[in-house]
């Protein structure tokens, strides 16, 4: 792993990791403390945990980019329902190449994703090294236990993302090729890959720790117990324990602190005025003081309101919505700017994020609906079919009727999920987890479980250069 150092920025309430190499700029914070003095009380611990969430943001130069833009973007562009337009800024342009030239160890986007997630993990490890050493301060709201619980949840999500993208599925091919798994703060330490099972075992341990410590409150800009329940349902889908995936999804659905987004709330859900919507469980905080750079935020390449206006959904995707679907014309549009483009078929404008200060949604209650549907497909497909029809008819398209069975039903569940969660970080991983081959109808990019690009992203060359213990995924 790259050698790193941490500066705890008390005034800003964030932590910052920078590489010892010259390719990362270094800024001097207003106030810093040496590491052995950094977390001395609950107030400072709270600032450090706030810093973990700060690392979720896409920063001004794009060197930190994960859940705020890069992950949602790649999850769509690497799958079947999205594409980069013919006229583009060159950002993500190789994702439209049928020769799969995006999947190279020299990809800057893959390196940014890898480095960002491990920076998040390093900061979480640093915070967790103080567990049991910080006493409860009666003058500070909350408890150290709740804060450490959040750090465990942050680390669990980061490892979940890494192992889902840089390894094959649980019990899939090359099970020894998990990801490196630092659990202590040891700057400069190189580690080999852990096995896929070892990584998932650690995710379970972190979620278990988080569940026992984290609070039920914390607002929607920090993790809480409801977020952990959603992460548990994701974990059980990934490890193919569908009974437990259903159990945790139902637990979220039963949580009265949150409300499923009704059809009447769709049009305005992604506006800044809806950031306190009771559908939202966790979102990345943005405001006028900490906006992403114009080139790297999620609005830079998506929607006709963005800077580059180049990433769109396909006509095939749009055609899956019925005429009365409330998402048609609100979240997704086939009018206006896209009609002026030379792409054939014409693109579909994705209008979820149209302003840079809108918080980026990472977890919302409706995800539990689809986690449950996927779990039920494998355990009780008749119930899955019934619940799918009921949810879509009640909440999105009053005329929806679906009667398919077998793998057609699974494909429909996952398509309806993408209609709901497009650009929210799921499609590529959903197809991979379920072993579903696809061909993008716009670009003709095709992936199947037989291709290495379907099974794993390549380890970045920068990691291979600095970590002699790590092995590239077989096939690259």
């Amino acid at each position: 792993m790259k050698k790193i150092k941490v500066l705890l920025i008390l005034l800003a309430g964030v932590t910052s990791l920078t590489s010892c190499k010259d390719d990362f700029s270094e800024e001097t914070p207003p106030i810093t403390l040496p590491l052995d003095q950094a977390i001395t009380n609950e107030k400072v611990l709270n600032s450090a945990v706030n810093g973990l969430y700060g690392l979720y943001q896409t920063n001004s130069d794009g060197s930190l980019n994960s859940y705020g833009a890069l992950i949602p973007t790649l999850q769509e562009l690497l799958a079947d329902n999205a594409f980069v337009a013919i006229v583009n800024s060159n950002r993500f342009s190789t994702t439209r190449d049928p020769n799969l030239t995006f999947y190279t160890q020299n990809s800057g986007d893959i390196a940014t994703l890898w480095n960002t997630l491990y920076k998040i993990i390093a900061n979480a490890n640093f915070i967790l090294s103080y567990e049991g050493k910080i006493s409860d301060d009666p003058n500070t709201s909350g408890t150290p236990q709740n804060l450490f619980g959040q750090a465990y949840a942050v680390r669990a999500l980061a490892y979940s993302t890494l192992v889902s993208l840089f390894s094959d599925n649980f019990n899939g091919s090359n099970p020894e090729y998990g990801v490196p798994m630092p659990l202590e703060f040891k700057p400069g330490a190189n580690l080999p890959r852990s096995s896929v099972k070892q990584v998932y075992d650690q995710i379970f341990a972190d979620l278990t720790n988080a569940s026992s410590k984290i609070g039920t409150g914390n607002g929607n800009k920090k993790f809480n117990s409801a977020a952990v329940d959603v992460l548990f349902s994701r974990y059980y889908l990934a490890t193919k324990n569908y009974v437990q995936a259903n159990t945790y999804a139902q637990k979220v659905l039963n949580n009265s602190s949150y409300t499923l987004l009704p059809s009447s709330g769709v049009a305005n859900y992604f506006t800044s005025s809806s950031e306190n919507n009771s559908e939202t469980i966790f979102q990345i905080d943005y405001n006028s003081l900490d906006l992403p750079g114009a080139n790297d935020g999620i609005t830079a390449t998506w929607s006709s309101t963005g800077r580059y206006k180049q990433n769109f959904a396909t006509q095939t995707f749009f055609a899956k919505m019925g005429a009365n679907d409330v998402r048609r014309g609100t979240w997704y549009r086939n009018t206006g700017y896209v009609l002026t483009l030379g792409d054939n078929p014409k693109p579909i404008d994705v209008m979820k994020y149209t302003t840079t200060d809108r918080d980026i949604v990472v977890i919302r209650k409706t995800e539990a609906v689809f986690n449950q549907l996927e779990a039920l497909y494998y355990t009780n497909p008749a119930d899955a079919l019934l619940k799918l029809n009921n949810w879509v008819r009640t909440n999105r398209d009053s005329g929806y009727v679906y009667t398919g069975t077998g793998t057609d039903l699974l494909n429909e569940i996952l398509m309806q999920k993408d209609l709901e969660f497009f650009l929210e970080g799921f499609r590529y991983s959903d197809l991979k987890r379920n072993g579903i081959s696809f061909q993008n109808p716009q670009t003709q990019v095709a992936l199947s479980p037989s291709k290495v690009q379907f099974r794993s992203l390549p380890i970045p060359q920068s990691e291979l250069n600095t970590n002699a213990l790590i092995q590239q995924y077989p096939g690259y």
Side-chain angles (χ1 to χ4, degrees):
M1 313 270 312
K2 282 191 173 182
K3 292 184 178 180
I4 50 178
K5 59 183 178 179
V6 173
L7 294 175
L8 182 63
I9 307 174
L10 296 181
L11 187 61
V14 300
T15 54
S16 171
L17 270 80
T18 58
S19 169
C20 285
K21 295 185 178 290
D22 293 334
D23 57 344
F24 287 88
S25 61
E26 186 169 337
E27 297 180 357
T28 303
I31 302 175
T32 64
L33 291 174
L35 291 182
D36 60 356
Q37 302 176 26
I39 299 181
T40 55
N41 56 55
E42 186 179 351
K43 184 176 182 180
V44 179
L45 174 63
N46 184 67
S47 294
V49 172
N50 287 342
L52 285 178
Y53 298 110
L55 290 174
Y56 279 179
Q57 295 176 337
T58 303
N59 65 356
S60 59
D61 65 4
S63 61
L64 287 178
N65 200 340
S66 58
Y67 302 99
L70 188 54
I71 290 173
T73 294
L74 292 181
Q75 285 281 359
E76 299 301 338
L77 294 181
L78 298 183
D80 56 341
N81 291 328
F83 67 100
V84 176
I86 294 173
V87 177
N88 59 73
S89 67
N90 206 37
R91 288 165 175 79
F92 310 112
S93 60
T94 55
T95 62
R96 60 176 291 125
D97 183 3
N99 294 316
L100 306 179
T101 54
F102 173 82
Y103 298 87
T104 169
Q105 59 206 44
N106 295 311
S107 166
D109 292 320
I110 292 175
T112 295
L113 178 58
W114 175 274
N115 292 335
T116 300
L117 291 171
Y118 274 109
K119 287 175 182 178
I120 292 170
I121 289 168
N123 276 268
N125 287 344
F126 176 63
I127 290 169
L128 291 170
S129 70
Y130 286 86
E131 188 175 14
K133 302 176 183 178
I134 306 299
S135 59
D136 189 12
D137 181 355
N139 297 316
T140 301
S141 61
T143 64
Q145 185 180 41
N146 174 38
L147 295 169
F148 287 121
Q150 292 177 57
Y152 277 115
V154 166
R155 190 169 72 179
L157 178 57
Y159 276 128
S160 296
T161 303
L162 282 163
V163 76
S164 70
L165 294 176
F166 291 93
S167 304
D168 199 357
N169 292 335
F170 185 81
N171 287 339
S173 62
N174 300 303
E176 69 275 23
Y177 284 82
V179 295
M181 199 168 61
L183 300 177
E184 298 178 348
F185 182 72
K186 292 183 177 180
N190 288 330
L191 293 174
R193 290 177 181 262
S194 297
S195 72
V196 173
K197 183 179 185 304
Q198 286 171 329
V199 178
Y200 277 108
D201 286 348
Q202 185 59 48
I203 293 166
F204 178 81
D206 281 352
L207 290 177
T208 300
N209 270 314
S211 181
S212 67
K213 303 174 190 301
I214 206 164
T216 58
N218 300 337
N220 65 17
K221 301 179 193 298
K222 297 181 179 182
F223 285 125
N224 58 20
S225 59
V228 172
D229 288 338
V230 174
L231 296 181
F232 260 125
S233 71
R234 293 184 188 181
Y235 162 83
Y236 283 118
L237 286 179
T239 57
K240 306 184 188 307
N241 186 335
Y242 299 114
V243 172
Q244 283 293 86
N246 181 28
T247 296
Y248 274 92
Q250 188 62 52
K251 186 176 180 182
V252 176
L253 294 173
N254 291 342
N255 190 328
S256 60
S257 297
Y258 301 92
T259 306
L260 291 173
L261 183 68
S263 58
S264 60
V266 166
N268 293 322
Y269 179 70
F270 286 96
T271 63
S272 296
S273 61
S274 293
E275 289 180 352
N276 292 321
N277 193 294
S278 58
E279 157 85 351
T280 306
I281 296 175
F282 172 68
Q283 60 192 349
I284 301 170
D285 185 28
Y286 282 109
N287 57 58
S288 60
L289 300 178
D290 55 10
L291 297 179
N295 291 329
D296 300 290
I298 201 166
T299 59
T301 54
W302 290 94
S303 97
S304 58
T305 66
R307 181 170 186 176
Y308 297 109
K309 304 176 176 63
Q310 64 165 62
N311 298 346
F312 301 100
T314 68
Q315 284 281 351
T316 303
F317 170 82
F318 191 71
K320 292 291 184 179
M321 287 179 286
N324 297 321
D325 195 308
V326 293
R327 296 165 297 197
R328 180 186 279 261
T330 53
W331 292 355
Y332 315 112
R333 299 177 185 173
N334 63 346
T335 58
Y337 173 78
V338 292
L339 297 180
T340 70
L341 299 178
D343 300 82
N344 184 26
K346 296 295 184 184
I348 298 301
D349 215 351
V350 180
M351 303 297 291
K352 283 187 171 181
Y353 294 104
T354 58
T355 60
T356 55
D357 62 345
R358 177 38 166 118
D359 292 352
I360 303 298
V361 177
V362 179
I363 301 174
R364 55 187 177 103
K365 185 169 185 175
T366 298
E367 182 188 339
V369 171
F370 286 92
N371 290 355
Q372 181 175 72
L373 288 174
E374 184 177 336
L376 287 173
Y377 166 78
Y378 288 102
T379 58
N380 188 344
D383 196 20
L385 178 63
L386 177 63
K387 289 181 181 294
L388 172 67
N389 276 280
N390 286 343
W391 181 84
V392 178
R393 277 200 300 269
T394 302
N395 295 286
R396 298 297 180 265
D397 181 0
S398 58
Y400 179 80
V401 176
Y402 186 78
T403 59
T405 59
T407 56
D408 288 343
L409 174 58
L410 176 60
N411 286 326
E412 179 66 11
I413 289 169
L414 296 181
M415 177 57 76
Q416 288 297 327
K417 181 179 180 181
D418 202 30
L419 290 172
E420 180 69 15
F421 289 96
F422 190 99
L423 201 53
E424 296 182 53
F426 295 101
R427 183 61 173 175
Y428 174 78
S429 291
D430 284 349
L431 295 174
K432 174 184 172 180
R433 182 176 63 252
N434 289 283
I436 298 174
S437 304
F438 66 87
Q439 183 173 44
N440 188 301
Q442 193 87 18
T443 65
Q444 307 310 308
V445 170
L447 285 180
S448 66
S450 65
K451 293 185 177 181
V452 63
Q453 295 88 350
F454 185 92
R455 297 193 298 271
S456 173
L457 297 179
I459 299 295
Q461 186 62 50
S462 56
E463 181 69 15
L464 297 172
N465 289 343
T466 57
N467 183 358
L469 299 178
I470 198 168
Q471 292 181 296
Q472 183 58 277
Y473 193 88
Y476 285 107

